[in-house]
Amino acid sequence: MTLAALVGFLSVAFGAFAAHGVAEPYARGLLETGSRYAFMHAMATVACAVFIELGAVRARHAPALFLPGVVIFSGSLFAMAFGAPRWLGAVTPLGGLLFLGGWAVLAWSAAAIDRPRA
């Protein structure tokens, strides 16, 4: 939860910086996309705690994919927005794969609570 809160904080900070502190459209777009995905996955990590409370204990594995996904996906976009070489964008899809894995785990865990208990 602490990491989710920090990711949420940083996503708002980078989003605000994109809106008010960056004039160059390409960099602004990178910051906006990175912020959007970071925030979305911070909230998904918080939702995992709710899922766990509802009995979907496998949901504890999803943040282990969501949070590194934020570092790789959003982090690479943020770095490029601040001048890192564009080839760094080659690692961005790896973060996307981690996001997809986290969502798959979350669906798998939700299936366990969707079934009626005997």
Side-chain angles (χ1 to χ4, degrees), residues 52-70:
I52 292 166
E53 288 298 314
L54 293 174
V57 295
R58 292 178 240 171
R60 73 183 184 278
H61 301 294
L65 297 166
F66 288 150
L67 296 173
V70 168

Side-chain angles (χ1 to χ4, degrees), residues 6-44:
L6 290 172
V7 167
F9 176 90
L10 290 172
S11 69
V12 171
F14 278 110
F17 184 66
H20 304 290
V22 177
E24 203 274 307
Y26 177 73
R28 181 182 306 146
L30 291 173
L31 289 169
E32 288 171 349
T33 300
S35 295
R36 185 177 327 111
Y37 277 82
F39 189 78
M40 182 184 325
H41 289 89
M43 293 300 98

Side-chain angles (χ1 to χ4, degrees), residues 73-118:
F73 184 90
S74 297
S76 64
L77 295 178
F78 296 155
M80 289 188 302
F82 290 111
R86 284 196 174 180
W87 62 259
L88 186 60
V91 303
T92 306
L94 298 175
L97 289 174
L98 289 169
F99 290 156
L100 291 170
W103 286 108
V105 167
L106 202 55
W108 173 58
S109 68
I113 60 173
D114 287 342
R115 284 182 255 146
R117 294 192 176 126

